[in-house]
Amino acid sequence: MSDVAETTTMYERLGGAVVIDRLVEAFYARMDRLPEAEGIRAMHADDLGHTKQVLKRYLSEWTGGPKLYSPEKGHPRLRQRHMGFSIGNAERDAWLLCMQGALEETVADAAARAAIYDAMAKLADWMRNTAGNPHDTVGHAARP
């Protein structure tokens, strides 16, 4: 046995590309059907095909898998990219509700599921750009 400790990425713990794909599909399926997600669903195009692909690439890279997002899009700058949308507590909570259900449906490893949810919750908090966010610049209007 080697003296070098093996490092397992969150990408591997989640289940790799297959699970990332299922996770994103389950996430957007919830966004389409949960009444609590109606507001955030309205922020998206009718056809979610492109949006799903972008999220799959982002999550792959963010969790330590293949770098599929940054070669195409550059640095994520997520908050900046979402400034055209009004994101407050309700939008954050709806997004997390969809993601929590998708994680429960697709990720078998309970510890990995909890760890990734905690990281996503912190990210979702950071994404708020309306009243209530300590990093707020308040007053951003929704994209027309």
Side-chain angles (χ1 to χ4, degrees):
M1 185 145 64
S2 171
D3 290 334
V4 178
E6 289 187 37
T7 304
T8 303
T9 65
M10 182 56 71
Y11 179 80
E12 294 165 326
R13 289 180 63 199
L14 292 173
V18 170
V19 173
I20 294 288
D21 186 65
R22 288 180 188 155
L23 174 65
V24 171
E25 294 296 329
F27 169 76
Y28 283 112
R30 281 171 173 70
M31 191 183 289
D32 272 339
R33 75 172 184 266
L34 294 179
E36 300 91 337
E38 186 176 304
I40 61 171
R41 178 60 180 94
M43 295 177 183
H44 294 77
D46 289 342
D47 180 354
L48 292 170
H50 176 72
T51 302
K52 288 178 183 181
Q53 291 307 311
V54 170
L55 184 56
K56 288 172 187 180
R57 289 185 202 117
Y58 174 77
L59 289 176
S60 171
E61 190 166 326
W62 188 64
T63 58
K67 293 194 180 304
L68 303 173
Y69 181 90
S70 59
E72 178 184 329
K73 299 276 190 181
H75 188 281
R77 298 184 332 259
L78 291 181
R79 194 157 193 263
Q80 180 182 349
R81 290 180 193 266
H82 287 81
M83 278 297 180
F85 301 98
S86 180
I87 302 173
N89 291 338
E91 293 77 16
R92 175 207 54 201
D93 293 350
W95 192 93
L96 286 171
L97 177 68
C98 293
M99 187 54 74
Q100 182 176 31
L103 286 164
E104 289 170 1
E105 178 183 328
T106 61
V107 178
D109 180 332
R113 189 171 56 240
I116 197 72
Y117 179 82
D118 288 347
M120 287 179 168
K122 288 175 186 169
L123 184 60
D125 278 339
W126 172 246
M127 296 299 293
R128 291 178 296 157
N129 58 24
T130 61
N133 184 346
H135 305 287
D136 192 8
T137 55
V138 185
H140 298 285
R143 185 177 292 169

